[in-house]
Amino acid sequence: MPSVGIAGAGLTGRLLAFALLQKGWQITLFDSDQRTGGQSAAVVAAGMLAPYAELETAEPLVFGLGQRSLELWPQWLAALAEPVFFQQTGTLLIAHRQDRADMERFVSHIRAKLGERAELQSLSAIALADDPVLMARGFAFAVQAGRCAFLAGPLQPRDMASPSTPTLGMPFWHRQSS
């Protein structure tokens, strides 16, 4: 049986190990992180795939690789012994009204790179809401909350986040809506 050592047990190292294990290789992972991978970029949104957002500054090859990765994730996850939360709902890019010119530049840049393959929509969450006034108020609160958090200053770094409210079962943001 062939064997290999992989330096780094982040997302790429673990995927490489997983692929080689499936082909019968003996794997040794070397990493300073905990076994759960709490320091890996994939633990938070940094592990998300957003090919359209990447395309603004990256070459079309990177976009193609991102699209292919989105196709492969469900296959990889289906091969795991335990279920893993995964959702694929697209990428939402949001801009303030005063940043409209930047967003339009971004959209035209993406359209120039992809041509007819560009699947972009311009949506107004307020216009689409069942209660536009309540939605506008919610956005105002979100902006205010972000400003307050910024003014409060940075949090002390921690190895692991701890919930501020009790968590029972699956968090609401992971549940499928009916």
Side-chain angles (χ1 to χ4, degrees), residues 25-43:
W25 285 63
Q26 182 179 350
I27 307 297
T28 304
L29 282 170
F30 297 94
D31 198 283
S32 61
D33 196 1
Q34 301 168 9
R35 182 177 178 90
T36 58
Q39 300 298 315
S40 173
V43 171

Side-chain angles (χ1 to χ4, degrees), residues 75-89:
Q75 296 170 33
W76 292 331
L77 296 177
L80 295 176
E82 296 180 28
V84 175
F85 173 75
F86 174 75
Q87 81 182 35
Q88 190 172 352
T89 56

Side-chain angles (χ1 to χ4, degrees), residues 54-78:
E54 299 291 339
L55 190 57
E56 181 183 21
T57 56
E59 294 300 315
L61 173 65
V62 173
F63 174 79
L65 292 171
Q67 292 288 83
R68 179 68 178 133
S69 294
L70 286 172
E71 294 169 8
L72 290 172
W73 268 113
Q75 296 170 33
W76 292 331
L77 296 177

Side-chain angles (χ1 to χ4, degrees), residues 15-137:
L15 284 173
L16 176 60
F18 180 67
L20 291 173
L21 279 169
Q22 288 184 317
K23 294 181 182 210
W25 285 63
Q26 182 179 350
I27 307 297
T28 304
L29 282 170
F30 297 94
D31 198 283
S32 61
D33 196 1
Q34 301 168 9
R35 182 177 178 90
T36 58
Q39 300 298 315
S40 173
V43 171
V44 294
M48 112 181 140
L49 291 168
Y52 281 94
E54 299 291 339
L55 190 57
E56 181 183 21
T57 56
E59 294 300 315
L61 173 65
V62 173
F63 174 79
L65 292 171
Q67 292 288 83
R68 179 68 178 133
S69 294
L70 286 172
E71 294 169 8
L72 290 172
W73 268 113
Q75 296 170 33
W76 292 331
L77 296 177
L80 295 176
E82 296 180 28
V84 175
F85 173 75
F86 174 75
Q87 81 182 35
Q88 190 172 352
T89 56
T91 302
L92 177 64
L93 301 173
I94 301 172
H96 291 281
R97 183 174 293 133
Q98 65 266 27
D99 297 325
R100 184 179 200 117
D102 289 333
M103 182 61 89
E104 288 172 357
R105 180 195 52 76
F106 171 82
V107 169
S108 70
H109 193 82
I110 299 303
R111 287 193 194 284
K113 283 190 172 184
L114 290 180
E116 294 297 317
R117 294 183 300 150
E119 297 175 33
L120 306 173
Q121 294 178 344
S122 179
L123 303 174
S124 167
I126 294 173
L128 296 172
D130 290 337
D131 185 340
V133 174
L134 187 59
M135 179 63 80
R137 194 174 303 140

